[in-house]
């Protein structure tokens, strides 16, 4: 459908550009993310495996790479549902780390951060729609239930046929 071919790249564009912008200023983004990450790792102490990097710059690089990779995948329609979920997974911590309007003292700064926060919440809604869009095809759950039902019917027929041949 033409709508998907237009809407997906439009939705993905902000993530691709954001990822590129992040790569251009890793240290600046890491500095903004550091208080949030420190707090999050302190609260999740013992729950997060040791293999997960704790360095803000490394996490910001990973975030930027996911945004670019998943953004391109969504834009070109390759695994769009998975790409949308990956982007949603990066959007939540980015929003919580970068747009903490409730901590701002200056009214102008607070208003600007609140707008960015709400914009990201709106993007999350778009990503949820993209993640649930089956492009008119039945969902995987429906297909699995249908296949199981068909298999059950076939097994029942074979069982009856085997009973008849034994009698």
């Amino acid at each position: 459908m033409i709508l998907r071919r237009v809407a997906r790249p439009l939705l993905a564009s902000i993530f691709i550009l954001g990822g590129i912008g992040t790569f251009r200023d890793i240290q600046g983004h890491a500095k903004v993310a550091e208080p949030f990450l420190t707090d999050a790792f302190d609260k999740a102490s013992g729950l997060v495996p040791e293999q997960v990097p704790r360095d803000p710059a490394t996490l910001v690089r990973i975030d930027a790479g996911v945004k670019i990779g998943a953004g391109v995948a969504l834009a070109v329609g390759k695994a769009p549902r998975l790409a949308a979920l990956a982007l949603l997974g990066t959007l939540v911590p980015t929003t919580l780390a970068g747009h903490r309007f409730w901590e701002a003292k200056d009214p102008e700064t607070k208003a600007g951060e609140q707008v960015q926060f709400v914009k990201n919440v709106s993007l999350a809604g778009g990503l949820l729609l993209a993640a649930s869009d089956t492009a008119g095809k039945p969902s995987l759950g429906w297909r699995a239930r249908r296949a199981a039902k068909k298999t059950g019917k076939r097994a029942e027929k074979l069982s009856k046929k085997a009973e008849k041949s034994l009698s």
Side-chain angles (χ1 to χ4, degrees), residues 58-77:
T58 302
L59 291 168
V60 165
R61 279 187 190 92
I62 292 168
D63 179 73
V66 171
K67 282 182 176 151
I68 293 169
V72 169
L74 179 62
V76 299

Side-chain angles (χ1 to χ4, degrees), residues 6-141:
V6 172
R8 287 177 179 159
L10 290 173
L11 181 58
S13 64
I14 194 164
F15 295 99
I16 297 167
L17 290 174
I20 291 168
T22 298
F23 270 128
R24 289 183 176 157
D25 183 21
I26 294 288
Q27 294 309 318
H29 284 85
K31 187 176 177 182
V32 170
E34 189 170 12
F36 170 76
L37 292 171
T38 302
D39 187 41
F41 282 125
D42 287 347
K43 287 180 181 174
S45 180
L47 298 173
V48 180
E50 289 181 30
Q51 295 82 355
V52 174
R54 304 285 198 279
D55 174 46
T58 302
L59 291 168
V60 165
R61 279 187 190 92
I62 292 168
D63 179 73
V66 171
K67 282 182 176 151
I68 293 169
V72 169
L74 179 62
V76 299
K78 295 294 179 190
R81 295 174 73 193
L82 181 61
L85 287 174
L87 290 170
L88 185 60
T90 68
L91 184 62
V92 171
T94 298
T95 303
L96 294 174
H99 304 297
R100 301 167 74 91
F101 68 90
W102 54 91
E103 293 178 352
K105 304 286 186 245
D106 176 49
E108 234 175 88
T109 302
K110 184 174 189 158
E113 290 302 329
Q114 193 170 19
V115 166
Q116 292 302 313
F117 185 92
V118 172
K119 175 206 56 149
N120 284 6
V121 169
S122 300
L123 285 170
L127 290 170
L128 286 170
L129 286 172
S132 65
D133 178 22
T134 61
K137 298 175 189 167
S139 70
L140 291 176

